C-alpha cells in the first residue's frame, strides 16, 4: 500500500530535501561571513540575468543532462553507475579521434560521427564493469570507481604520449578542424532573429540532450526493453521468473548508461574546447549522481535538476569572481543535495508518511 | 641498483603505505560490520585539514591529531545516521561525504587562512617529526658509509614519525580485536547475519555505530598523518584518491587485517616506484609508464574482484540496512 499520494512522492519529498540542502548551504555561507541572500541574488543575476549567463547555465546543464540520464538509466535496473566520470572521459577520447582523423565536410555530419564515437567509447568503458557484474558478480560500484581512475591514467598516457602534437607542451590534442565547429546558441537563435550572447559556450548539443531525454523516456516507459529493465530493478527474482535474463539486462542497461555518459563529450570537447584536454570532464560525471537522485531517475526530473545544477555552477563561478566565496561552495551544495535526496531520503519520508497516515485516519 | 637505494625505496614505501593502511583498517572495521564505506577518502581529507588547521593555530600537533579525529568522526556520525538510523543507501551516503569534505575543507581553509584553500606551513612542534630509534644514524653521509644491517636499521626502521609505528601496531591490534574478543566476534557476526545477532539480544544498531566510530577514528589518524607527518600542512584535495586505493587494498586483502598490511605495502611500493621512474629504467632497461604504475592498484583490484585470481567475497550483509522484524 502506498502511504503517500503520488504528488507527495514525486514533488513534496524532493522539494523538502532540496529545501533542507538550501538551508544548510545558507548556514555555510553565513558561517564564512557572507550574506546568503546577497549571494543568491548575485547567483541569479550572474547565471540568469543575461543571455551570456544563460549560455553558460545551459552549457553546464547539457553536460549534467547526459551524466544524469546515465546514472538514472542504471538506477532503473538497480545498478549504481558511479563511473560516469571515466565513461565521459573516454567519450571525449572517442570524439577526439573522430574529429581529428576524419575529414568532415560539414558540422552536421561531424556531429553524427562524434555522437557515435562518444557513445561507443563511453559504452565500451562501461562494458567491462558490466560484464564483471553480470558474469562474475563483482560489485559494480567498486569496479566503476576503479575504472574512473584507470580512465584518468589512460587518458593521461594517450594525451601525453600519443595525441599531443609534436613540440606542444601541454597534454592536449591539436585543435579540431574548422569544419567540425558546432553552431552555438547565438547562431541558432540568430536565424530566428533572437539576439543571444556569442561568447557563451552553449551549443547545438543542448538539443541533442533534450532528444536524449525524450529517447530515454521512450525507452524506459514505452518499450519492452525498458519494461524489462524496470522489472529487473524492482525485483530480480520476479524478473528472472518472468524469463528476463539478468545478464542481458545488466549489460544492456550499463551499455546505455555508459553511452549516455560518453555523449557528454560532444558538448564539452567538441562544442566548447574544440580539442581534447586533460581532465575535461571536471566532475560532471559525479554531478550526474546528484542530478539523477534529485530528478527521481525520470528524464523530465533529470532535465529540471540539470538546469538547477547548471544554474548553481554558473552562479557559483560568478560568486567566486565577485565575493570571497570560493567555487567549492558548489561542491558543498552538491554534497548536501546527494545527502538529503539520496542517503537521508527516509529522514524526510518517515515523518511525512506519518502525517499522511494521520490525515487519512481522520478523513 | 645498490642496497642503499633499495632501502630508500622501501623506506618511502612504508611512508606512503601508512595512510593507506590506516584507512584500509578503518574500512575493515566498517565493512566487517556490514556498513560499506566509500567515504574513506572524504574522512581522511576532512581530518587532514582540521589537524593541520588546529596544529597551525595552537602549535601543537597532538591537539591537531585530536581535532582531525573529531572531524573524521563527525562525518562517520553522518554516515551512521544515514545508513544505520535512516536505512539509507550506504554508497550514496559515502559519495555525499566525499564531496562534503572536498568542498568544506577548501571553503573553511579560505575563510580561516586566506591562502587559496591551504593551511600555513607547519613547523617544529606543529608536525610529527621523525623519531630516531636508539643507536640509529641520522646523517645521510654516515648512513652511506655504514654496514648493510646498520643501513637497514637507520634508514628503513628508524626515522619515521610516531604515527607510523602506531599504525603498524594497529594491524595486530585489529586482528586481536576482531578475532580474539567477544566484541570482534559480534562485529563480524553483524556483518554476516545481523538477524542472528539481534536474536541473541545484542543491539545491531549499537554494534554498527561502534564499528563506524572506529572507522572514523582510524581515518582521522590517517588524515592527520597526511597533513602533519607526510607533508607539512594541508593543501586542497591532498588525499588524492588514497581513500579509494585503501578501498582497493581492502578488497585485495579480502577483508583480513594482516593481508591488508601486505596489500597496502604493495600499493605503497607502487607509489614509491612511481616517484622514481629512473630506477625501473636502470634495472630492466625498459621505460615503464608512470601512468601504468598509477593505474596498477586499480587494475589489480579489478582482476581480484573479477575472481580470476582467488575470489573476493565481501561480508554477506554488507550494504544492507537492517530492519528489525516486528
Amino acid at each position: 500500500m502506498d502511504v503517500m499520494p503520488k504528488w507527495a512522492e514525486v514533488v513534496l519529498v524532493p522539494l523538502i530535501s532540496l529545501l533542507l540542502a538550501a538551508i544548510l548551504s545558507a548556514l555555510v555561507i553565513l558561517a564564512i561571513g557572507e550574506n546568503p541572500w546577497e549571494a543568491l541574488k548575485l547567483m541569479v543575476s550572474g547565471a540568469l540575468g543575461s543571455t551570456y549567463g544563460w549560455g553558460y547555465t545551459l552549457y553546464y546543464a547539457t553536460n549534467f543532462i547526459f551524466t544524469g540520464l546515465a546514472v538514472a538509466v542504471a538506477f532503473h535496473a538497480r545498478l549504481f553507475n558511479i563511473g560516469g566520470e571515466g565513461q565521459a572521459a573516454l567519450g571525449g577520447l572517442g570524439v577526439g579521434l573522430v574529429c581529428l582523423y576524419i575529414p568532415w565536410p560539414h558540422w552536421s555530419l561531424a556531429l553524427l560521427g562524434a555522437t557515435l564515437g562518444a557513445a561507443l567509447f563511453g559504452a565500451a568503458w562501461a562494458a567491462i564493469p558490466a560484464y564483471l557484474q553480470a558474469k562474475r558478480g563483482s560489485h559494480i560500484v567498486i569496479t566503476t570507481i576503479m575504472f574512473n581512475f584507470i580512465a584518468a591514467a589512460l587518458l593521461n598516457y594517450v594525451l601525453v604520449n600519443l595525441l599531443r602534437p609534436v613540440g606542444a607542451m601541454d597534454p592536449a590534442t591539436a585543435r579540431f578542424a574548422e569544419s567540425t565547429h558546432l553552431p552555438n546558441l547565438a547562431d541558432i537563435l540568430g536565424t530566428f532573429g533572437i539576439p543571444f550572447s556569442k561568447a557563451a559556450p552553449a551549443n547545438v548539443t543542448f538539443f541533442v540532450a533534450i532528444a536524449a531525454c525524450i529517447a530515454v523516456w521512450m525507452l524506459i516507459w514505452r518499450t519492452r526493453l525498458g519494461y524489462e529493465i524496470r522489472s529487473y530493478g524492482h525485483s530480480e527474482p520476479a524478473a528472472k521468473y518472468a524469463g528476463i535474463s539478468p545478464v542481458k539486462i545488466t549489460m544492456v542497461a550499463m551499455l546505455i548508461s555508459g553511452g549516455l555518459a560518453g555523449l557528454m563529450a560532444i558538448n564539452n570537447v567538441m562544442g566548447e574546447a574544440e580539442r581534447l584536454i586533460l581532465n575535461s570532464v571536471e566532475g560532471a560525471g559525479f554531478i550526474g549522481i546528484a542530478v539523477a537522485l534529485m530528478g527521481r531517475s525520470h528524464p523530465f526530473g533529470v532535465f529540471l535538476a540539470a538546469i538547477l545544477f547548471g544554474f548553481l555552477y554558473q552562479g557559483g563561478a560568478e560568486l567566486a569572481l565577485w565575493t570571497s566565496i570560493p567555487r567549492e561552495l558548489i561542491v558543498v551544495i552538491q554534497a548536501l543535495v546527494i545527502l538529503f535526496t539520496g542517503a537521508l531520503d527516509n529522514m524526510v519520508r518517515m515523518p511525512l508518511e506519518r502525517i499522511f497516515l494521520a490525515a487519512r485516519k481522520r478523513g | 641498483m645498490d642496497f642503499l637505494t633499495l632501502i630508500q625505496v622501501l623506506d618511502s614505501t612504508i611512508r606512503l603505505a601508512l595512510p593507506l593502511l590506516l584507512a584500509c583498517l578503518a574500512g575493515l572495521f566498517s565493512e566487517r560490520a556490514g556498513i560499506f564505506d566509500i567515504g574513506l577518502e572524504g574522512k581522511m581529507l576532512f581530518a587532514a585539514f582540521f589537524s593541520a588547521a588546529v596544529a597551525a593555530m595552537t602549535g601543537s600537533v597532538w591537539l591537531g591529531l585530536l581535532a582531525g579525529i573529531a572531524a573524521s568522526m563527525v562525518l562517520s556520525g553522518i554516515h551512521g545516521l544515514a545508513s544505520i538510523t535512516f536505512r539509507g543507501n550506504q554508497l550514496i551516503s559515502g559519495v555525499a561525504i566525499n564531496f562534503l569534505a572536498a568542498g568544506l575543507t577548501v571553503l573553511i581553509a579560505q575563510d580561516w587562512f586566506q591562502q587559496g584553500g591551504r593551511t600555513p606551513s607547519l613547523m617544529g612542534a606543529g608536525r610529527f617529526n621523525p623519531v630516531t630509534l636508539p643507536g640509529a644514524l641520522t646523517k645521510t653521509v654516515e648512513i652511506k658509509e655504514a654496514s648493510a644491517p646498520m643501513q637497514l636499521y637507520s634508514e628503513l626502521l628508524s626515522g619515521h614519525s610516531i604515527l607510523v609505528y602506531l599504525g603498524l601496531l594497529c594491524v595486530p591490534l585489529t586482528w586481536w580485536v576482531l578475532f580474539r574478543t567477544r566484541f570482534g566476534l559480534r562485529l563480524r557476526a553483524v556483518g554476516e547475519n545481523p538477524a542472528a545477532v539481534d536474536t541473541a539480544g545484542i543491539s545491531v544498531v549499537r554494534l554498527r555505530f561502534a564499528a563506524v566510530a572506529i572507522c572514523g577514528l582510524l581515518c582521522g589518524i590517517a588524515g592527520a598523518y597526511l597533513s602533519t607527518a607526510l607533508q607539512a600542512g594541508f593543501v586542497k584535495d591532498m588525499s588524492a584518491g588514497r581513500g579509494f586505493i585503501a578501498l582497493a587494498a581492502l578488497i585485495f586483502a579480502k577483508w583480513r587485517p594482516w593481508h591488508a598490511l601486505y596489500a597496502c605495502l604493495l600499493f605503497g611500493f607502487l607509489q614509491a616506484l612511481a616517484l622514481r621512474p629512473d630506477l625501473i629504467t636502470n634495472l630492466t632497461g625498459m621505460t615503464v609508464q608512470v601512468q601504468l604504475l598509477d593505474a596498477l592498484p586499480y587494475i589489480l583490484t579489478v582482476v581480484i574482484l573479477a575472481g580470476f585470481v582467488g575470489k573476493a567475497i565481501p561480508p554477506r550483509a554488507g550494504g544492507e540496512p537492517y530492519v528489525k522484524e516486528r
Side-chain angles (χ1 to χ4, degrees):
Chain A
M1 182 190 76
D2 285 338
V3 183
M4 284 192 287
K6 196 157 174 46
W7 64 268
E9 178 77 39
V10 176
V11 180
L12 201 59
V13 176
L15 267 188
I16 293 177
S17 305
L18 194 63
L19 202 66
L20 284 171
I23 291 172
L24 274 182
S25 310
L27 288 177
V28 169
I29 298 177
L30 213 57
I32 58 173
E34 296 274 345
N35 184 338
W37 182 243
E38 289 297 320
L40 182 66
K41 276 205 289 196
L42 200 60
M43 284 174 85
V44 170
S45 72
L48 312 175
S50 62
T51 58
Y52 175 79
W54 269 104
Y56 268 96
T57 300
L58 292 181
Y59 164 72
Y60 290 126
T62 308
N63 287 341
F64 304 152
I65 290 174
F66 284 122
T67 54
L69 285 177
V71 179
V73 168
F75 269 157
H76 278 291
R78 198 166 287 184
L79 294 164
F80 188 10
N81 176 14
I82 206 167
E85 194 76 8
Q87 290 144 15
L90 261 284
L93 186 59
V95 169
L97 293 177
V98 164
C99 288
L100 282 172
Y101 293 110
I102 302 176
W104 295 101
H106 189 257
W107 67 263
S108 55
L109 292 174
L111 180 62
L112 271 179
T115 305
L116 217 64
L120 223 59
F121 270 65
W125 203 243
I128 307 166
Y131 177 81
L132 292 178
Q133 166 81 59
K135 283 282 191 190
R136 321 274 319 180
S138 326
H139 204 304
I140 197 139
V141 171
I142 307 290
T143 43
T144 46
I145 291 179
M146 300 300 147
F147 266 71
N148 282 341
F149 286 102
I150 300 172
L154 177 70
L155 225 65
N156 192 333
Y157 172 76
V158 169
L159 283 178
V160 171
N161 299 39
L162 305 177
L163 288 182
R164 185 172 52 161
V166 181
M169 284 307 287
D170 56 337
T173 66
R175 275 194 92 76
F176 300 156
E178 195 51 42
S179 59
T180 66
H181 173 80
L182 295 178
N184 57 21
L185 273 192
D187 300 335
I188 298 164
L189 293 176
T191 54
F192 301 103
I194 306 166
F196 199 86
S197 165
K198 281 200 189 319
N203 56 68
V204 65
T205 318
F206 178 64
F207 300 105
V208 180
I210 293 176
C213 281
I214 298 168
V216 167
W217 179 80
M218 294 276 283
L219 168 78
I220 297 290
W221 278 284
R222 287 292 178 274
T223 66
R224 177 191 288 254
L225 178 65
Y227 176 75
E228 289 182 351
I229 290 178
R230 279 184 296 137
S231 31
Y232 176 76
H234 274 294
S235 164
E236 193 186 330
K240 253 192 210 159
Y241 188 70
I244 297 169
S245 154
V247 174
K248 177 190 150 197
I249 296 300
T250 305
M251 285 302 291
V252 169
M254 277 305 288
L255 287 177
I256 295 173
S257 175
L260 282 166
L263 281 181
M264 180 197 133
I266 46 177
N267 189 43
N268 67 341
V269 175
M270 192 179 178
E272 206 253 342
E274 305 199 343
R275 60 182 190 147
L276 184 59
I277 55 171
L278 211 56
N279 191 20
S280 57
V281 187
E282 289 183 313
F286 293 118
I287 293 177
I289 300 168
V291 167
L293 284 170
M294 228 184 91
R296 300 276 133 169
S297 301
H298 190 286
F300 187 63
V302 166
F303 176 78
L304 290 181
I307 300 275
L308 176 77
F309 268 93
F311 155 73
L312 284 174
Y313 234 65
Q314 169 57 13
E318 291 285 319
L319 269 188
L321 206 59
W322 302 110
T323 68
S324 62
I325 303 174
R327 266 201 94 141
E328 275 72 13
L329 177 68
I330 305 310
V331 182
V332 176
I333 297 178
Q334 174 195 343
L336 291 171
V337 169
I338 295 178
L339 192 65
F340 283 108
T341 56
L344 287 173
D345 193 49
N346 280 335
M347 191 176 82
V348 177
R349 195 180 295 268
M350 282 173 181
L352 267 183
E353 285 182 346
R354 231 168 278 145
I355 293 171
F356 274 103
L357 263 184
R360 188 180 301 174
K361 269 181 199 145
R362 220 179 303 137
Chain B
M1 185 164 66
D2 58 12
F3 184 68
L4 186 58
T5 321
L6 177 71
I7 297 286
Q8 279 165 348
V9 171
L10 292 180
D11 180 56
S12 46
T13 297
I14 292 182
R15 218 168 315 151
L16 292 166
L18 198 91
L20 304 180
L21 177 64
L22 283 166
C24 186
L25 292 176
L28 186 79
F29 273 102
S30 185
E31 301 211 347
R32 276 283 186 163
I35 304 291
F36 278 159
D37 196 348
I38 55 175
L40 299 173
E41 173 87 1
K43 276 182 261 198
M44 267 164 97
L45 189 66
F46 216 47
F49 168 69
F50 278 98
S51 34
V54 170
M57 286 188 290
T58 61
S60 159
V61 71
W62 290 101
L63 285 178
L65 177 65
L66 284 182
I69 291 173
S72 166
M73 287 182 78
V74 167
L75 290 188
S76 271
I78 296 177
H79 189 56
L81 192 74
S83 50
I84 305 169
T85 312
F86 289 111
R87 296 178 215 136
N89 186 321
Q90 300 168 4
L91 299 164
I92 293 176
S93 167
V95 171
I97 281 170
N98 285 336
F99 286 121
L100 202 60
L104 275 181
T105 46
V106 178
L107 220 59
I108 302 173
Q110 182 61 20
D111 186 41
W112 285 2
F113 303 108
Q114 280 95 32
Q115 294 187 4
R118 50 168 66 229
T119 62
S121 291
L122 301 172
M123 277 168 295
R127 283 191 72 182
F128 282 107
N129 292 310
V131 176
T132 311
L133 296 181
L137 305 172
T138 49
K139 292 204 181 72
T140 327
V141 192
E142 283 176 2
I143 293 177
K144 209 172 238 171
E145 300 293 312
S147 61
M150 194 61 194
Q151 285 182 340
L152 193 84
Y153 181 68
S154 303
E155 183 73 32
L156 186 61
L157 298 180
S158 170
H160 294 289
S161 82
I162 182 95
L163 290 185
V164 171
Y165 303 108
L166 195 79
L168 291 173
L169 267 184
C170 280
V171 178
L173 193 68
T174 303
W175 172 82
W176 184 76
V177 167
L178 277 181
F179 296 97
R180 287 293 178 273
T181 68
R182 188 152 64 171
F183 171 73
L185 177 66
R186 288 173 175 177
L187 191 116
R188 283 181 292 134
V190 92
E192 298 288 338
N193 191 345
V197 177
D198 202 13
T199 313
I202 303 155
S203 165
V204 173
V205 169
R206 200 175 304 159
L207 262 173
R208 286 193 162 169
F209 261 108
V212 168
I214 297 172
C215 172
L217 171 82
L218 290 171
C219 277
I221 304 175
Y225 175 82
L226 283 183
S227 63
T228 62
L230 196 63
Q231 286 168 35
F234 173 86
V235 288
K236 180 182 162 180
D237 286 331
M238 75 181 302
S239 48
R242 284 189 175 88
F244 293 112
I245 299 188
L247 211 58
L250 183 59
I251 295 162
F252 211 74
K254 298 177 188 165
W255 296 268
R256 292 171 296 183
W258 284 104
H259 293 77
L261 174 65
Y262 309 144
C264 290
L265 284 175
L266 172 67
F267 292 171
F269 181 65
L270 292 177
Q271 289 188 339
L273 275 187
L275 294 178
R276 297 287 303 271
D278 54 309
L279 282 183
I280 313 171
T281 319
N282 289 346
L283 209 62
T284 60
M286 288 186 302
T287 330
V288 172
Q289 296 298 331
V290 184
Q291 293 94 343
L292 181 66
L293 287 176
D294 286 341
L296 213 49
Y298 308 113
I299 296 174
L300 287 176
T301 306
V302 171
V303 171
I304 286 287
L305 265 175
F308 296 123
V309 194
K311 196 153 176 58
I313 301 165
R316 198 172 337 145
E320 305 259 323
Y322 177 64
V323 185
K324 211 181 173 84
E325 273 182 83
R326 285 177 204 281

